[in-house]
Amino acid sequence: MKLKKKTIAAGLMALLTMMIVLSGCSSEKKTNAEQKGDVTVNIGVQGSTGVLPYARETKAFEKAFEKEGVKVKWSEFASGPPHFEALASGRLDFGATGGTPLIAGQSGNVDFKAIAVTTDGKKGNSIIIPKGSKIKELKDLKGKKIAVAKGSSAYNFLYMALDQAGLSDKDIKVVQLQPDEARPALDNGSVDAWSTWEPYATTAIFQTGAKSLADGEDLNINAPSFLVARTQFTKDHPDLTVLFLKTYERVMKQFIDHPDKVSSDIAKKEKLDPKIVSTVLKRSNLILSPTTPEFAKAHQEQADFLYKAGGIKTKLDTSKVIENKFIEKALENK
């Protein structure tokens, strides 16, 4: 069943508003540091269990860039969309987000490039229901309150899941909440379900007995996540862009080669059960890859869905923001 544009448009108003704001601040300017030759690499991070958060704790990027006389500055974000506001204003050079924020950023004329794929996203998003919920299948969401961070990858996932169940936003009540607000709302019964991403989904399941109603793998929804970069930075410093990717790969290999140590390190810092972290990492399916035709197709399908739903005003060619040359250079001889 196709989603109805009129009903979806209302549900996606916050996403459109964000894109309008982004459109007004999309001009790129060099920072004072760049003009003086004193370069600082600004890296965005969200969550606590991913490659970039772990790299921040181990100072992997500081060590790599110090050899080039380059400083590193970190900025923390609650979700993907704020990354693009920072990219647009020149306050951010690199970050990692899901695909939906990329679509919003491109719609808002933010000048950025998707420089690598970090996961296929099949298990990255889930719809979580609390322990004891009578909800058994997606159709049971009709008439329910569902928490989600608008503009996030979990937001698009929710609407695609509803579409598969023959529902639309007219059939539910979307409650706009960031993860730190949504979890308490799910726990106290203020919402009936929560569409979110890792590590929040697994953490809720382990800590409260919540259950996953559906994830991308269940619904065969591919939602690749990306490393993104400010276009002007990649033009001014192509060598540093490649170094960023090489450093990311080195840290990612620690997740793959030494999962127990990485899980233990993260669990200790975040005061989490190591089993939670281990499960999150297993579900992440970490990769570092160029945007292959398969990933490009999946990302384009997400953009087409949002366009048909009325969430974006212009039909996008998402290939225009994809740039593989840096990751291909970083992975040479691998």
Side-chain angles (χ1 to χ4, degrees):
M1 177 177 178
K2 294 183 178 179
L3 292 174
K4 298 177 182 179
K5 281 190 176 183
K6 291 184 179 179
T7 58
I8 282 291
L12 296 174
M13 187 56 66
L15 180 58
L16 288 171
T17 301
M18 180 192 73
M19 290 186 287
I20 291 171
V21 172
L22 291 178
S23 180
C25 63
S26 61
S27 60
E28 294 286 354
K29 293 181 180 179
K30 287 188 177 182
T31 65
N32 290 334
E34 287 173 336
Q35 291 171 347
K36 295 177 180 178
D38 182 16
V39 180
T40 296
V41 175
N42 299 282
I43 305 174
V45 63
Q46 62 172 312
S48 58
T49 60
V51 172
L52 289 180
Y54 190 69
R56 178 174 60 173
E57 293 305 313
T58 59
K59 298 190 181 300
F61 284 94
E62 284 83 349
K63 294 171 184 175
F65 282 100
E66 183 179 27
K67 298 174 183 178
E68 305 298 324
V70 174
K71 298 177 182 177
V72 174
K73 180 180 179 182
W74 295 89
S75 296
E76 192 161 346
F77 302 97
S79 59
H83 282 70
F84 289 85
E85 297 174 35
L87 284 166
S89 62
R91 294 181 289 109
L92 188 67
D93 301 313
F94 298 106
T97 79
T100 305
L102 267 73
I103 295 165
Q106 185 178 357
S107 296
N109 296 318
V110 177
D111 197 4
F112 74 95
K113 295 298 181 186
I115 58 173
V117 172
T118 58
T119 176
D120 60 20
K122 290 181 179 180
K123 295 183 179 180
N125 295 301
S126 304
I127 297 175
I128 303 300
I129 53 175
K131 182 179 180 180
S133 174
K134 295 181 180 180
I135 297 172
K136 302 299 181 185
E137 56 183 340
L138 289 171
K139 290 182 179 179
D140 297 336
L141 293 174
K142 187 172 182 178
K144 305 300 184 183
K145 296 179 181 178
I146 305 177
V148 66
K150 290 186 177 179
S152 68
S153 60
Y155 192 67
N156 200 30
F157 172 75
L158 171 62
Y159 280 88
M160 295 181 83
L162 291 173
D163 189 42
Q164 288 197 21
L167 301 176
S168 75
D169 67 333
K170 185 179 180 180
D171 299 307
I172 64 170
K173 182 176 180 181
V174 174
V175 182
Q176 153 65 6
L177 294 173
Q178 291 293 334
D180 61 344
E181 303 166 317
R183 169 64 186 275
L186 186 76
D187 293 349
N188 65 31
S190 298
V191 297
D192 301 295
W194 178 22
S195 184
T196 189
W197 58 93
E198 295 294 354
Y200 304 109
T202 293
T203 302
I205 290 170
F206 269 81
Q207 292 181 341
T208 71
K211 295 182 179 180
S212 173
L213 181 64
D215 62 23
E217 187 172 52
D218 297 329
L219 304 177
N220 196 30
I221 296 175
N222 287 355
S225 293
F226 298 86
L227 289 176
V228 295
R230 185 167 59 90
T231 301
Q232 191 60 50
F233 186 93
T234 67
K235 291 179 178 179
D236 292 341
H237 307 289
D239 53 335
L240 296 182
T241 302
V242 172
L243 179 58
F244 171 83
L245 291 165
K246 286 183 175 180
T247 305
Y248 184 97
E249 186 199 23
R250 283 198 295 274
V251 178
M252 183 191 72
K253 280 184 61 63
Q254 295 180 48
F255 280 67
I256 297 170
D257 297 340
H258 307 287
D260 292 340
K261 182 183 185 307
V262 172
S263 295
S264 177
D265 289 346
I266 295 174
K268 183 177 180 180
K269 179 185 181 298
E270 299 299 325
K271 298 180 180 179
L272 289 171
D273 184 336
K275 292 182 180 179
I276 294 178
V277 179
S278 178
T279 301
V280 169
L281 297 188
K282 288 177 182 177
R283 288 179 58 83
S284 298
N285 190 28
L286 296 175
I287 60 174
L288 188 64
S289 164
T291 304
T292 64
E294 179 186 5
F295 290 138
K297 180 175 181 291
H299 186 55
Q300 183 65 55
E301 287 174 350
Q302 287 195 65
D304 292 343
F305 180 86
L306 274 177
Y307 173 68
K308 291 176 182 177
I312 54 177
K313 295 180 179 179
T314 305
K315 185 173 175 61
L316 298 177
D317 176 0
T318 56
S319 68
K320 291 184 178 180
V321 300
I322 292 171
E323 180 57 84
N324 281 332
K325 67 181 181 181
F326 300 110
I327 186 60
E328 289 171 351
K329 179 70 174 178
L331 296 179
E332 277 183 354
N333 303 319
K334 295 291 183 180

